[in-house]
């Protein structure tokens, strides 16, 4: 009996020990792979394996060396760690193809982050990316979508294209309607005439002078359409012009309508190649000395010339011959008043108003100086009526002071009451 009892005592502990080891092994088996750096409590709670904590204590950035940013931080763990094996995949930062399919099929860089971000996969700085290629995007190319050129590349498989213009724009070259490029034999190198800004934009690259044998396009000619001067697929010139200065070759109709054969056909003598308006005409050189000044410089040509023929209506010798044009004005203002027909003695060539009679002494009253100068500011002081401009002498004004003058000059041998005597002592009309 004692031996049996001892045997039982020895067997029981062994059985219990075996059961305890198996239970211990079941509790510590790790379903997440060989991940030893993480404590279970970082993700799980004592309440159960599932669900995991809403906020994990696991430092993914520090432990894995793969920092979660952008959309990666929003993804579930099993999106990257299939089967909850957190020791897989083994990916370093930048190893995007470990998880993501290369939509470019190996044709571009395998460094995805050189173009993409972890925030939005489609937010690609295309201009900066293209700048690293042999075809930087400039002009209108900046505004087009990727698919406009890479139309046959599916899901982003951007195959390098032919960078020659005709590679994309052959249909535009062959289908040009304003000018048949094929019939005209134009080069297929579009950049000789066009720029990347727009087809219709005049880039100034087309050397019209070299092609036409010397006719350089300048001024407004740079902005007009080719068919304004050319016709047909072979761009036959509509007008027979010798060079860029031969304006009349194209503008005969404009000349006939405006000048009717009176002016020179050298249009650039007065006009510019920028606009018909703003004419700069050397009237003095054209008329042999009649310079347009003052108000004459701003009046219309037909004020003095017949609008139809350009013939001068007035026979003026020069710009000082006012009366030749303004005889009616003179007669209406100064008829029978004795004023000379030299209008500029009082008026200016700017306006009739504000006349200043500066030469009063020399023309009418030589002694109107000295004590007399500035004494009267109103013409009516001496002139009873607007047209009463007769010549005065001393006695005309001083006869009413005869007694006073007699008293003042009593005993003077040269004194006599008449104008001639006055000038003996007062040659300049003042007290000497």
């Amino acid at each position: 009996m004692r031996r049996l009892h001892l045997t039982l005592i020895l067997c029981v502990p062994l059985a219990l020990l075996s059961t305890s080891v198996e239970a211990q092994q079941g509790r510590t088996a790790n379903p997440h792979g060989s991940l030893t750096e993480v404590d279970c409590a970082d993700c799980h709670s004592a309440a159960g394996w599932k669900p995991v904590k809403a906020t994990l204590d696991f430092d993914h950035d520090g432990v894995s060396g793969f920092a979660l940013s952008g959309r990666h931080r929003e993804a579930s763990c099993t999106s990257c760690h299939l089967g909850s094996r957190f020791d897989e995949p083994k990916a370093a930062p930048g190893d995007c193809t470990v998880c993501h399919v290369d939509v470019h099929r190996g044709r571009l860089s395998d460094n995805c982050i050189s173009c993409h971000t972890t925030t939005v996969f489609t937010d690609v700085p295309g201009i900066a990316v293209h700048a690293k290629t042999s075809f930087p995007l400039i002009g209108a190319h900046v505004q087009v979508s990727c698919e406009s050129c890479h139309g046959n590349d599916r899901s982003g498989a951007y195959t390098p294209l032919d960078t020659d213009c005709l590679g994309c724009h052959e249909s535009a070259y062959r289908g040009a309607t304003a000018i048949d490029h094929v019939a005209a034999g134009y080069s297929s190198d579009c950049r000789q005439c066009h720029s990347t800004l727009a087809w219709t934009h005049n880039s100034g690259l087309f050397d019209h002078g070299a092609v036409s044998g010397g006719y350089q396009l300048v001024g407004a000619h740079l902005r007009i359409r080719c068919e304004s001067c050319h016709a047909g697929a072979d761009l036959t010139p509509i007008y027979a012009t010798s060079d860029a200065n031969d304006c009349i070759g194209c503008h005969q109709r404009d000349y006939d309508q405006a000048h009717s054969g009176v002016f020179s056909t050298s249009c650039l003598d007065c006009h510019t190649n920028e606009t018909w308006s703003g004419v700069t005409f050397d009237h003095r050189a054209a008329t042999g000395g009649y310079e347009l000044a003052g108000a004459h410089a701003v009046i219309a040509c037909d004020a003095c010339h017949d609008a139809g023929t350009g013939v001068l209506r007035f026979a003026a010798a020069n710009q000082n011959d006012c009366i030749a044009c303004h005889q009616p004005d003179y007669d209406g203002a100064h008829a029978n008043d004795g004023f000379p027909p030299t209008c500029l003695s009082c008026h200016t060539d700017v306006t009739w108003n504000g006349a200043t009679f500066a030469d009063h002494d020399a023309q009418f009253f030589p002694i109107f100086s000295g004590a007399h100068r500035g004494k009267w500011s109103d013409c009516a002081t001496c002139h009873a009526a607007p047209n009463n401009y007769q010549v005065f002498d001393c006695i005309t004004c001083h006869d009413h002071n005869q007694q006073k003058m007699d008293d003042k000059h009593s005993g003077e041998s040269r004194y006599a009451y008449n104008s001639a005597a006055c000038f003996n002592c007062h040659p300049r009309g003042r007290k000497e």
Side-chain angles (χ1 to χ4, degrees):
M1 289 297 292
R2 180 175 295 178
R3 182 182 298 274
L4 177 62
H5 179 69
L6 290 174
T7 301
L8 291 173
I9 291 175
L10 292 173
C11 291
V12 170
L14 290 173
L16 292 175
L17 179 61
S18 176
T19 303
S20 176
V21 170
E22 291 176 359
Q24 181 67 22
Q25 289 178 345
R27 288 195 301 270
T28 58
N30 188 351
H32 303 312
S34 57
L35 190 64
T36 60
E37 298 88 348
V38 182
D39 189 352
C40 299
D42 288 347
C43 303
H44 303 281
S45 66
W49 294 113
K50 296 180 180 181
V52 296
K53 292 180 178 179
T55 302
L56 306 181
D57 297 327
F58 171 53
D59 183 9
H60 188 286
D61 298 357
V63 173
S64 69
F66 193 103
L68 297 179
S69 62
R71 296 293 296 277
H72 290 155
R73 189 166 293 280
E74 302 172 8
S76 64
C77 301
T78 56
S79 296
C80 301
H81 302 285
L82 302 180
S84 296
R85 285 291 302 259
F86 295 132
D87 56 348
E88 295 290 343
K90 293 179 173 59
D95 293 341
C96 306
T97 54
V98 172
C99 296
H100 299 280
V101 176
D102 182 6
V103 297
H104 306 306
R105 303 176 187 177
R107 293 187 175 94
L108 302 180
S109 171
D110 57 0
N111 183 16
C112 303
I113 60 176
S114 64
C115 299
H116 300 278
T117 67
T118 60
T119 303
V120 181
F121 190 75
T122 56
D123 185 15
V124 180
I127 298 176
V129 171
H130 245 282
K132 301 175 183 178
T133 70
S134 61
F135 193 85
L137 297 179
I138 57 175
H141 292 150
V142 173
Q143 304 172 17
V144 299
S145 64
C146 303
E147 292 76 12
S148 297
C149 298
H150 300 280
N152 297 325
D153 295 330
R154 304 300 180 187
S155 302
Y158 295 133
T159 305
L161 302 175
D162 182 5
T163 58
D164 184 73
C165 303
L166 210 63
C168 292
H169 301 287
E170 183 174 3
S171 60
Y173 171 83
R174 297 189 178 279
T177 56
I179 301 175
D180 190 333
H181 289 30
V182 178
Y186 274 28
S187 170
S188 60
D189 184 3
C190 309
R191 291 168 295 186
Q192 290 185 7
C193 303
H194 301 278
S195 72
T196 57
L197 293 176
W199 287 117
T200 56
H201 175 71
N202 193 330
S203 63
L205 300 175
F206 177 58
D207 192 346
H208 190 278
V211 174
S212 64
Y215 196 113
Q216 293 287 352
L217 295 181
V218 293
H221 295 149
L222 275 172
R223 298 188 293 273
I224 62 177
R225 297 178 62 84
C226 303
E227 55 266 32
S228 297
C229 300
H230 299 272
D234 58 351
L235 298 179
T236 302
I238 299 174
Y239 308 103
T241 54
S242 58
D243 54 44
N245 297 322
D246 185 13
C247 310
I248 202 68
C250 297
H251 298 285
Q252 182 71 55
R253 181 179 300 177
D254 302 304
Y255 172 84
D256 292 340
Q257 182 177 358
H259 303 311
S260 301
V262 176
F263 283 85
S264 168
T265 56
S266 300
C267 305
L268 292 177
D269 288 347
C270 305
H271 302 276
T272 68
N273 52 34
E274 190 65 40
T275 175
W276 288 117
S277 305
V279 178
T280 55
F281 174 56
D282 190 347
H283 192 276
R284 180 172 184 173
T287 59
Y290 196 111
E291 182 177 0
L292 295 180
H296 296 146
V298 296
I299 61 175
C301 300
D302 56 10
C304 299
H305 298 270
D306 183 78
T309 63
V311 175
L312 182 65
R313 295 195 183 102
F314 312 102
N318 53 54
Q319 64 266 27
N320 296 322
D321 186 12
C322 309
I323 200 67
C325 299
H326 298 284
Q327 184 71 54
D329 302 301
Y330 174 84
D331 293 340
H334 304 306
N336 303 318
D337 59 12
F339 270 78
T342 53
C343 306
L344 292 177
S345 297
C346 303
H347 302 277
T348 68
D349 55 12
V350 176
T351 176
W352 289 115
N353 299 325
T356 55
F357 192 45
D359 204 9
H360 185 282
D361 298 358
Q363 295 197 47
F364 293 102
F365 199 28
I367 65 168
F368 199 71
S369 59
H372 299 96
R373 184 178 298 280
K375 188 173 183 180
W376 299 285
S377 60
D378 188 357
C379 301
T381 303
C382 298
H383 304 281
N387 293 328
N388 184 17
Y389 294 111
Q390 67 273 19
V391 178
F392 294 88
D393 57 17
C394 303
I395 305 304
T396 303
C397 294
H398 292 283
D399 59 352
H400 59 284
N401 290 323
Q402 182 177 357
Q403 184 60 47
K404 182 177 181 180
M405 293 174 65
D406 287 344
D407 294 341
K408 184 174 183 179
H409 297 292
S410 178
E412 294 182 11
S413 60
R414 292 188 302 170
Y415 169 67
Y417 191 62
N418 58 67
S419 293
C422 295
F423 281 111
N424 290 331
C425 297
H426 306 282
R428 288 179 293 178
R430 64 183 182 183
K431 183 178 181 181
E432 300 300 326

